[in-house]
């Protein structure tokens, strides 16, 4: 073992002690641990050039990190290699690990700067009142210097693990002009990762595995550990699960009664979609208020490292010169990307249509040899080719969005999501649209084409072809059932199941190498003692299955002192970090995209298969647990990011709600057999095609779409009559601010503000008491004459006029 690896790693000692402090001060998840000042960040440094260039690049990175106020320790990456039933540690060629520590003083300065930036960006400073309610911090709002005082005196109580990591990550990647080190891929750093806290992960999975629903305390723990973005996703998923209970139960009842394509259930689905999206819009605003991040996207805390300015402008709030990019040039770049996205979408639509045509031919018309086996060919082709093409489209969308050069992350994410939504929508919904509104109404036309083409190619038509005889409604139901069930099972297996199995298998190598290192070590017994709670029964099955194999590091952390770690423990720790760096990065994008696709299928086609909402409910209840397991074991630890909403996904859900009003109405019109207000159709035609009148379908479409707009307008008006948490808090703050102003205002202004009707009546009484005929007194002296004129006029009422 060389001297570099033998040198004590200060980061490991601090990291272990910090976790012991947190476990002692945060045993129930309620109190923050004493601030140690460290953040669990590791940088992966790789350089493919000559050794001299790599050394120069490393020196530049270390100097910039040091100038940003961070401490750096460098170690060679290591991995565990299996040798039969044993394993050893080996250095990873071409990779270095840079362990980052942030001193308390630097963290205090950065946090004060962040709070002041929030104030300049228009965010309202909040605090807890004496009764525990949330209120505006009026002192900090009036005097922003108090933000710095609060940051210095109460930092240990206010700052969380995720907030600390967010600040340090900004120091690592932020622009040098803003106090950061501006570290990125161009510097040879391919990953900036926060390390997993395995103890927290195991307790989290064990806790969630033993309860039906998560509550506010669970969300607060997730926010304090992983940040606002992850916590907001789980809050959305929990809300979505609860809202699915209503259509899930109603759909099960309709299915039990055998009533598919019911117009009552269709109306319920549309109303459910509107209520869910609008109530979630209110709920996410309230959550952002309670978390103190309302307005954070407007504040625009830091620019993206990839942003390239073409000029500098004067900031209206601070008077500083800030980088900017021409809006006209950005719009031109957007327009250049439109034909690219359109072409990619067209190719995807054509490919899906060809796969659909092939599957329809094999399942509905072909009756030759190997019909059952050949029927699987389109599914295999679809599964093999479409994900690869979708990945290409996603990559192109990322390139186009980067080319548009957005300054802040919120704008970048919104534009990227808008492009990806087109591809995802075609991939998830086009198949069902083609079945319901292309093949079913014109199946005889397609049948004639198929038989005509096959007759020209073969003389044995009767032996190999058949006529499509599956009832129209059943065809749509079968297709929907297959898509819903298959997509959920496959998504669960590929997204969570397979990565967890691979992670568990790889962790065995690390555990065996740990045991081998312990057996040949310096006499310290660091052998893993098993994971706490593995024998607690069925409530902890999920956490037991997903726990990675423990190593000697886990045992040493439990008993860590202020002394440095032994060499073998340090070696195991570096290998663990290398293993975590090899995991894929976690983003909420894929999880939101999955939920949006599912929401579309539930909203569009549940009238055909009423059990779809119930299937989504059961899947999402399990998704809450499997997504937690995926974050803990199958991906890197998420980098905390502040958000106040689910971003552009809410607009996506609202668009799907609008579209569902059309799809539900058309499905009911086409396949409802005995609806009183729909035109009568021949029984045989109804079974094979459904109603196919395009003119009546257009009337149904327009009526349903306008009815939806009216319902959404009514719902939004009713909800607007109940102000949200942010509106209540800010209105109360404005009233308190006016009272404080009146208390401090000069006496003359206070008298003007207090000039009431009683004061005015006293002045008028004084005028009435003035008994003077002097014209210089003014209008107050004329009141007697005017009163006399009025009396004479009244006396003349009712008297006959003189002839």
């Amino acid at each position: 073992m060389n001297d570099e690896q033998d040198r004590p790693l200060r980061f490991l000692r601090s990291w272990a002690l910090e976790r012991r402090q947190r476990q002692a001060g945060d045993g129930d998840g309620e109190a923050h641990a004493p601030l140690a000042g460290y953040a669990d960040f590791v940088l992966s440094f790789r350089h493919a050039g000559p050794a001299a260039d790599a050394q120069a690049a490393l020196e530049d990175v270390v100097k910039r990190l040091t100038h940003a106020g961070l401490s750096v320790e460098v170690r060679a990456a290591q991995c565990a290699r299996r040798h039969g039933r044993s394993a050893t540690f080996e250095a990873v060629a071409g990779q270095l690990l840079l362990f980052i520590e942030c001193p308390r003083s630097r963290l205090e300065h950065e946090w004060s700067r962040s709070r002041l930036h929030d104030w300049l960006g228009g965010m309202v400073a909040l605090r807890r009142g004496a009764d525990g309610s949330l209120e505006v911090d009026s002192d900090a709002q009036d005097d922003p210097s108090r933000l710095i005082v609060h940051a210095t005196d109460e930092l240990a109580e206010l700052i969380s693990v995720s907030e600390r990591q967010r600040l340090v990550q900004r120091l690592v990647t932020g622009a040098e002009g803003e106090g950061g080190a501006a570290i990125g891929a161009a510097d040879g750093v391919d990953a900036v990762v926060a390390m997993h806290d395995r103890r927290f992960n195991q307790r989290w999975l064990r806790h969630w595995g033993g309860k039906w629903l998560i509550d506010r305390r669970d969300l607060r723990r997730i926010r304090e550990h992983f940040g606002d973005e992850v916590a907001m996703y789980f809050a959305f998923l929990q809300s979505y699960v609860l809202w699915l209970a209503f259509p899930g139960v109603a759909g099960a009842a309709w299915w039990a009664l055998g009533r598919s394509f019911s117009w009552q259930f269709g109306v319920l689905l549309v109303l459910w979609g509107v209520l869910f999206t609008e109530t979630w819009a209110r709920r996410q605003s309230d959550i952002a208020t309670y978390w103190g991040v309302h307005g954070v996207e407007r504040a625009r805390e830091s620019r993206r490292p990839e942003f390239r300015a073409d000029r500098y402008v004067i900031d209206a709030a601070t008077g500083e010169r800030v980088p900017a990019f021409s809006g006209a040039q950005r719009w031109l770049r957007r327009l250049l990307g439109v034909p690219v996205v359109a072409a990619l979408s067209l190719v995807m639509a054509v490919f899906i249509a060809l796969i659909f045509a092939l599957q329809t031919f094999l399942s509905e018309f072909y009756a030759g040899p190997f019909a059952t086996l050949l029927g699987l060919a389109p599914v295999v082709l679809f599964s093999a080719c479409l994900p690869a093409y979708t990945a290409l489209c996603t990559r192109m969308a990322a390139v186009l969005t980067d080319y548009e050069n957005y300054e802040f992350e919120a704008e970048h994410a919104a534009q990227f999501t808008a492009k990806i939504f087109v591809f995802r929508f075609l991939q998830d919904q086009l198949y069902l649209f083609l079945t319901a509104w292309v093949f079913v109404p014109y199946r005889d036309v397609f049948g004639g084409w198929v038989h005509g083409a096959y007759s020209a190619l073969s003389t044995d038509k009767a032996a190999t072809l058949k006529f499509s005889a599956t009832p129209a409604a059943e065809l749509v139901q079968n297709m929907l059932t297959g898509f819903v069930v298959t997509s959920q099972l496959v998504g669960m297996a590929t997204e969570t199941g397979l990565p967890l199995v691979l992670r568990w298998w790889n962790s065995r190598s690390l555990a065996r190498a740990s045991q081998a290192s312990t057996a040949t070590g310096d006499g310290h017994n660091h052998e893993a003692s098993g994971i706490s709670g593995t024998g607690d029964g069925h409530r902890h099955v999920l956490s037991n299955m997903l726990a990675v194999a423990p190593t000697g590091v886990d045992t040493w952390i439990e008993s860590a002192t202020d002394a440095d770690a032994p060499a073998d423990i340090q070696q195991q720790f570096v290998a663990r970090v290398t293993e975590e760096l090899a995991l894929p990065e976690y983003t909420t994008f894929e999880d939101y995209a999955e939920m949006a696709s599912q929401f579309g299928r539930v909203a569009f086609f549940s009238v055909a298969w009423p059990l779809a909402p119930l299937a989504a409910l059961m899947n999402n209840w399990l998704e809450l647990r499997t997504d937690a397991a995926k974050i803990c074991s199958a991906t890197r630890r998420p980098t905390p990011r502040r958000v106040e909403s689910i971003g552009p996904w809410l607009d996506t859900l609202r668009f799907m709600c609008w579209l569902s009003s059309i799809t539900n109405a058309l499905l009911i019109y086409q396949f409802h057999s005995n609806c009183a207000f729909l035109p009568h159709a021949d029984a045989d035609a109804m079974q094979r095609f459904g109603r196919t009148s395009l003119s009546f379908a257009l009337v149904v479409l327009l009526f349903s779409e306008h009815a939806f707009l009216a319902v959404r307008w009514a719902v939004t008006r009713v909800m607007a009559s109940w102000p949200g948490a942010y509106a209540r808090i800010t209105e109360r703050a404005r009233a308190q601010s006016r009272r404080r102003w009146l208390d401090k205002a000069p006496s003359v202004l206070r008298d003007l503000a207090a000039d009431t009707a009683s004061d005015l009546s006293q002045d008028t009484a004084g005028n009435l008491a003035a008994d003077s005929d002097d014209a210089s007194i003014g209008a107050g002296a004329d009141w007697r004459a005017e009163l006399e004129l009025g009396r004479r006029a009244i006396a003349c009422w009712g008297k006959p006029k003189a002839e």
Side-chain angles (χ1 to χ4, degrees), residues 411-738:
E411 298 173 333
H412 183 273
Q415 295 300 322
F416 178 72
T417 302
K419 297 178 179 66
I420 290 297
F421 172 74
V422 178
F423 305 131
R424 291 298 183 104
F425 185 84
L426 293 175
Q427 177 181 342
D428 296 330
Q429 315 297 343
L430 184 58
Y431 224 87
L432 295 170
F433 285 3
L434 290 175
T435 301
W437 295 302
V438 176
F439 174 71
V440 168
Y442 304 105
R443 64 197 311 179
D444 282 354
V445 176
F446 287 106
W449 291 351
V450 170
H451 283 267
Y454 202 81
S455 298
L457 300 175
S458 174
T459 58
D460 192 13
K461 178 179 68 173
T464 56
L465 288 184
K466 61 181 180 180
F467 286 94
S468 176
T470 307
E474 183 180 340
L475 190 63
V476 175
Q477 290 170 339
N478 292 341
M479 186 70 69
L480 175 64
T481 304
F483 258 78
V484 171
V485 176
T486 303
S487 63
Q488 292 182 171
L489 292 178
V490 172
M492 191 80 65
T494 57
E495 180 183 292
T496 304
L498 183 59
L500 287 175
V501 171
L502 294 176
R503 177 76 193 281
W504 168 80
W505 180 259
N506 292 334
S507 69
R508 295 180 62 192
S509 299
L510 185 58
R512 289 182 178 180
S514 171
Q515 294 171 3
S517 176
T518 300
T520 60
D522 55 1
H524 296 278
N525 183 15
H526 304 302
E527 189 170 354
S529 58
I531 298 175
S532 173
T534 54
D536 292 345
H538 69 281
R539 286 163 54 91
H540 303 152
V541 170
L542 180 64
S543 62
N544 298 338
M545 291 177 60
L546 300 175
V548 295
T551 67
V553 179
D554 302 293
T555 306
W556 181 83
I557 289 174
E558 295 295 328
S559 59
T561 64
D562 197 33
D564 292 321
D568 59 326
I569 295 299
Q570 179 173 301
Q571 198 174 30
Q572 296 170 30
F573 178 75
V574 173
R576 173 189 291 187
V577 174
T578 306
E579 180 190 1
E580 290 188 14
L581 286 170
L583 295 174
E585 182 182 2
Y586 174 79
T587 62
T588 57
F589 176 84
E590 289 296 331
D591 290 330
Y592 278 126
E594 180 185 356
M595 291 299 104
S597 298
Q598 182 198 87
F599 179 86
R601 284 191 289 267
V602 170
F604 295 159
F605 299 104
S606 289
V607 290
W609 189 48
L611 287 181
L614 184 60
L617 171 63
M618 294 186 294
N619 174 82
N620 293 350
W621 183 88
L622 187 60
E623 188 85 12
L624 275 169
R625 281 82 185 160
T626 57
D627 280 348
K630 177 179 66 176
I631 291 174
C632 292
S633 300
T635 66
R636 299 172 185 170
R637 180 170 175 170
T639 300
R641 192 168 73 89
R642 295 198 300 178
V643 298
E644 61 176 319
S645 66
I646 63 173
W649 294 108
L650 180 59
D651 293 333
T652 300
L653 298 180
R654 283 171 167 164
F655 169 77
M656 289 185 175
C657 284
W658 169 78
L659 191 58
S660 71
S661 67
I662 298 175
T663 59
N664 280 287
L666 291 179
L667 286 172
I668 294 169
Y669 161 72
Q670 189 174 358
F671 298 113
H672 195 292
S673 57
N674 55 359
C675 187
F677 51 82
L678 291 177
H680 178 72
D682 180 73
D684 181 66
M686 191 70 190
Q687 183 180 18
R688 288 185 54 78
F689 315 108
R691 298 181 181 88
T692 56
S693 172
L694 293 179
S695 58
F696 206 92
L698 181 61
V699 173
V700 170
L701 184 152
L702 293 175
F703 174 79
S704 62
E705 192 262 350
H706 283 71
F708 167 82
L709 295 178
V711 169
R712 187 169 68 178
W713 177 86
V715 170
T716 54
R717 293 301 95 192
V718 171
M719 292 191 63
S721 61
W722 285 284
Y726 185 77
R728 295 195 303 270
I729 292 172
T730 53
E731 179 59 32
R732 186 164 60 244
R734 282 192 289 267
Q736 294 173 353
S737 177
R738 288 191 290 267

Side-chain angles (χ1 to χ4, degrees), residues 212-371:
W212 286 96
L213 296 173
I214 61 177
D215 52 32
R216 290 184 177 179
R217 293 177 61 184
D218 297 322
L219 291 176
R220 185 167 65 250
R221 293 190 187 102
I222 298 306
R223 176 176 177 256
E224 291 173 353
H225 194 76
F226 293 114
D228 300 326
E229 187 177 30
V230 175
M232 185 66 77
Y233 165 71
F234 279 109
F236 166 78
L237 186 55
Q238 168 83 344
S239 180
Y240 183 33
V241 167
L242 294 176
W243 273 91
L244 277 171
F246 181 52
V249 173
W254 255 276
W255 178 81
L257 296 174
R259 298 180 60 184
S260 300
F261 301 103
S262 166
W263 68 268
Q264 295 94 335
F265 188 54
V267 171
L268 184 147
L269 280 173
V270 174
L271 182 61
W272 166 80
V274 174
L275 289 174
F276 167 63
T277 53
E278 298 307 320
T279 54
W280 170 252
R282 169 65 60 82
R283 175 162 170 72
Q284 73 177 7
S285 176
D286 291 346
I287 289 175
T289 300
Y290 295 136
W291 289 354
V293 292
H294 197 288
V296 69
E297 295 175 3
R298 182 180 65 252
R300 296 178 172 181
E301 183 173 1
S302 58
R303 294 175 182 83
R304 298 174 59 245
E306 298 84 3
F307 173 70
R308 297 293 178 265
D310 62 352
R311 58 196 172 95
Y312 283 83
V313 298
I314 302 300
D315 187 273
T318 64
E320 299 175 336
R321 293 179 71 250
V322 294
F325 187 75
S326 170
Q329 189 172 354
R330 180 174 290 127
W331 271 106
L332 179 60
R333 294 186 178 189
R334 284 185 185 178
L335 293 176
L336 292 176
V338 169
V340 178
V341 174
L344 292 172
S345 302
L346 180 61
V347 172
M348 176 177 284
V350 171
F351 175 75
I352 294 175
L354 291 176
I355 295 293
F356 170 79
L358 179 60
Q359 184 176 14
T360 302
F361 167 74
L362 293 174
S363 61
E364 295 295 318
F365 298 105
Y366 182 71
F370 309 107

Side-chain angles (χ1 to χ4, degrees), residues 43-96:
L43 278 61
S44 173
F45 177 83
R46 299 176 186 268
H47 200 284
D53 294 343
Q55 292 172 354
L58 177 63
E59 180 181 358
D60 179 63
V61 169
V62 172
K63 284 183 176 180
R64 283 171 18 199
L65 290 170
T66 304
H67 290 163
L70 303 172
S71 300
V72 185
E73 291 183 276
V74 182
R75 293 291 186 276
Q78 295 193 22
C79 65
R81 300 293 185 185
R82 295 173 60 91
H83 303 286
R85 299 183 60 85
S86 63
T88 58
F89 294 110
E90 298 179 6
V92 178
Q95 183 180 14
L96 295 177

